Amino acid sequence: MPNHIFEIAKKSLEHNIIPLQAGTFLTAGAHQFKTFWTRDFCLSARGLAAIGRTDVIRSHIEYLLKNRRHDDLVPLYVDSMNPVHRVVIACIFKALGLSRKSLKMKETISPFYLVNGQFEVADSNVLVLYAARVYADATGDQAWLQKHHEDFRAIFNFYKTKMVNGLIQQGEHADWQDSAKRKGIIFFTNLLYYHAARDYGFLNESELQQLGERIRQEFYDEKTGLFRSIAGRENISLEGNLWAIDYGLLKDSKELYQNLRKHELFSKYNVPGFATYPSYTDDDMYIQVKVVGLREYHGNLFWSWLMAYSGKIAFKQQDTEMFEKIRINFEKIIKRDQTVYEIYHNSDEHPHFESWLYKSEAPFSWGAAFLLDMLKTAE
């Protein structure tokens, strides 16, 4: 891919790096998501490493570790104002046809632990463990990893009280697919927990084996050869299966990729990038999501990070045909937009999503980071 595509993605990610007295942080976006979202930051770690900004990874993680709740839950997000207000203001301005220029991030920032002040998040802790490993691997700074070993063990042990029959049970709005009523036993959260347990050695071999077997029993779908996303439901989501392939978790990567390659998640449109098939029912969706126009937010809308992640996995699996399709599609989109958007329509041209109340976030850190990681991998 031409170098200027890398530079546009790099510029998009760098735009959202903000230095403050408390440290250097990454916001999720530039408008409604101009907040230090823990999930978005952690999943942007490989992109930050790809452009040599490991200092941001270290600084952001250290703030999160220092500001854990009494039970070792890391902040869901950090901001100088209520993050919900940012989103509401952006939507109102969009409806009125006004500039969505975000309120400035001030020096005095505070941690927030609950979604909308009500719901406890499930994936932040385990994603901090992931980002810390990315930092250590990129820098070789194993001493830093060892220095915080007990901090990492504490945020891993946070999940002990969340277990039901050996798997993490979560509430509403608890992971990245927060537009749907995705609660209970969720594949992606448990997969990330398994990944962290394997990488850090926080479970012994017997415990790890038992955990892996429980996840396979609960989520593996013999019909498709893929992992379902919600226990007891038919929905299959792209992100968990890509992650399992990427890190060689639970099933043979080549077999799992071939099954994904044949599935609607890869075959329904020209390229993969939408989140879930079949899409969620109308009853699954929260009313505020439907009002904003995001009925298919985690269904049939395309995500920049999922398109890029699919491209990376296709390349690693030596699927040249699919990688080239994704590469060419991204080149077209990025050259057209000169930035990385959050979500796109599923039509061939993939215009960024826009409704009367909502405009796809740009530049979007998470998507830019995964595009950078895809390009670095393909080098």
Side-chain angles (χ1 to χ4, degrees):
M1 181 175 287
N3 188 55
H4 63 273
I5 303 301
F6 184 94
E7 290 303 317
I8 292 170
K10 180 174 181 283
K11 184 178 179 181
S12 294
L13 187 58
E14 289 175 334
H15 183 279
N16 293 334
I17 296 173
I18 298 181
L20 298 175
Q21 292 177 4
T24 305
F25 303 89
L26 181 73
T27 66
H31 300 96
Q32 65 264 25
F33 295 139
K34 192 172 185 176
T35 295
F36 304 137
W37 280 81
T38 297
R39 176 186 304 126
D40 294 58
F41 151 67
C42 290
L43 286 166
S44 297
R46 290 186 64 88
L48 288 167
I51 61 171
R53 292 308 305 266
T54 53
D55 61 306
V56 180
I57 307 175
R58 176 171 176 161
S59 173
H60 203 138
I61 289 175
E62 288 181 344
Y63 179 91
L64 296 172
L65 293 178
K66 289 176 184 176
N67 288 275
R68 304 197 300 271
R69 203 171 65 176
H70 63 88
D71 59 353
D72 290 311
L73 176 67
V74 300
L76 163 65
Y77 33 50
V78 178
D79 205 329
S80 58
M81 65 180 290
N82 190 322
V84 176
H85 295 168
R86 284 194 189 276
V87 177
V88 171
I89 290 169
C91 289
I92 292 173
F93 278 27
K94 174 67 172 65
L96 295 176
L98 303 175
S99 169
R100 295 187 310 142
K101 187 175 181 180
S102 179
L103 296 173
K104 185 179 179 181
M105 180 73 68
K106 298 178 181 178
E107 284 288 348
T108 303
I109 55 176
S110 301
F112 296 79
Y113 301 94
L114 301 176
V115 181
N116 299 333
Q118 303 175 66
F119 306 104
E120 186 175 274
V121 71
D123 58 0
S124 291
N125 275 35
V126 74
L127 284 171
V128 168
L129 296 174
Y130 163 74
R133 177 64 70 178
V134 170
Y135 168 81
D137 289 346
T139 62
D141 192 355
Q142 297 299 316
W144 178 85
L145 203 63
Q146 186 59 38
K147 174 185 175 183
H148 290 290
H149 183 77
E150 291 309 311
D151 293 322
F152 297 141
R153 182 183 292 277
I155 63 176
F156 179 83
N157 288 341
F158 164 81
Y159 292 100
K160 285 186 175 180
T161 61
K162 313 301 176 184
M163 294 292 182
V164 174
N165 296 324
L167 294 174
I168 298 168
Q169 179 170 276
Q170 64 187 56
E172 298 179 10
H173 296 291
D175 65 21
W176 88 277
Q177 290 203 26
D178 52 7
S179 71
K181 297 172 184 176
R182 192 160 97 147
K183 62 180 180 179
I185 310 296
I186 306 301
F187 176 61
F188 194 44
T189 304
N190 282 280
L191 180 70
L192 292 173
Y193 179 77
Y194 176 87
H195 188 188
R198 189 187 73 168
D199 272 8
Y200 285 83
F202 288 148
L203 297 180
N204 63 40
E205 197 61 38
S206 175
E207 292 171 328
L208 190 64
Q209 186 175 349
Q210 289 176 16
L211 174 61
E213 189 55 37
R214 281 290 296 117
I215 295 174
R216 281 187 287 267
Q217 289 173 354
E218 193 67 63
F219 297 104
Y220 189 68
D221 178 44
E222 294 288 348
K223 180 181 177 182
T224 61
L226 297 171
F227 291 98
R228 297 184 300 270
S229 57
I230 308 171
R233 295 281 298 267
E234 65 174 336
N235 308 85
I236 294 176
S237 291
L238 185 56
E239 84 287 330
N241 286 283
L242 289 174
W243 197 282
I245 295 166
D246 195 7
Y247 293 98
L249 303 173
L250 303 175
K251 285 285 182 181
D252 177 74
S253 292
K254 290 188 180 299
E255 178 187 343
L256 195 57
Y257 180 73
Q258 290 305 317
N259 293 335
L260 181 59
R261 187 69 160 82
K262 295 180 290 186
H263 190 266
E264 284 85 352
L265 285 168
F266 258 51
S267 64
K268 185 175 181 180
Y269 301 104
N270 184 46
V271 294
F274 69 99
T276 303
Y277 184 89
S279 193
Y280 295 105
T281 68
D282 201 53
D283 289 340
D284 287 328
M285 309 310 297
Y286 294 97
I287 183 63
Q288 61 268 36
V289 173
K290 291 185 280 189
V291 167
V292 172
L294 291 172
R295 166 68 178 78
E296 292 295 331
Y297 196 46
H298 293 108
N300 274 314
L301 286 175
F302 270 62
W303 287 74
S304 52
W305 84 274
L306 287 176
M307 284 192 282
Y309 202 12
S310 298
K312 174 186 176 179
I313 298 307
F315 182 85
K316 289 179 68 174
Q317 291 294 317
Q318 300 179 324
D319 185 354
T320 304
E321 179 187 4
M322 180 54 70
F323 173 73
E324 281 300 310
K325 279 186 178 181
I326 295 170
R327 182 193 69 78
I328 292 168
N329 186 61
F330 247 127
E331 183 176 357
K332 174 189 68 179
I333 291 172
I334 300 303
K335 286 176 68 176
R336 179 193 67 203
D337 298 337
Q338 294 295 300
T339 189
V340 179
Y341 277 96
E342 168 200 16
I343 50 174
Y344 303 86
H345 288 284
N346 55 34
S347 60
D348 288 343
E349 295 302 313
H350 293 294
H352 71 266
F353 177 86
E354 191 166 349
S355 70
W356 72 286
L357 271 176
Y358 190 88
K359 182 177 180 179
S360 177
E361 182 65 291
F364 184 56
S365 293
W366 191 351
F370 268 75
L371 178 54
L372 290 165
D373 186 37
M374 183 193 89
L375 297 175
K376 276 289 187 181
T377 301
E379 286 181 353

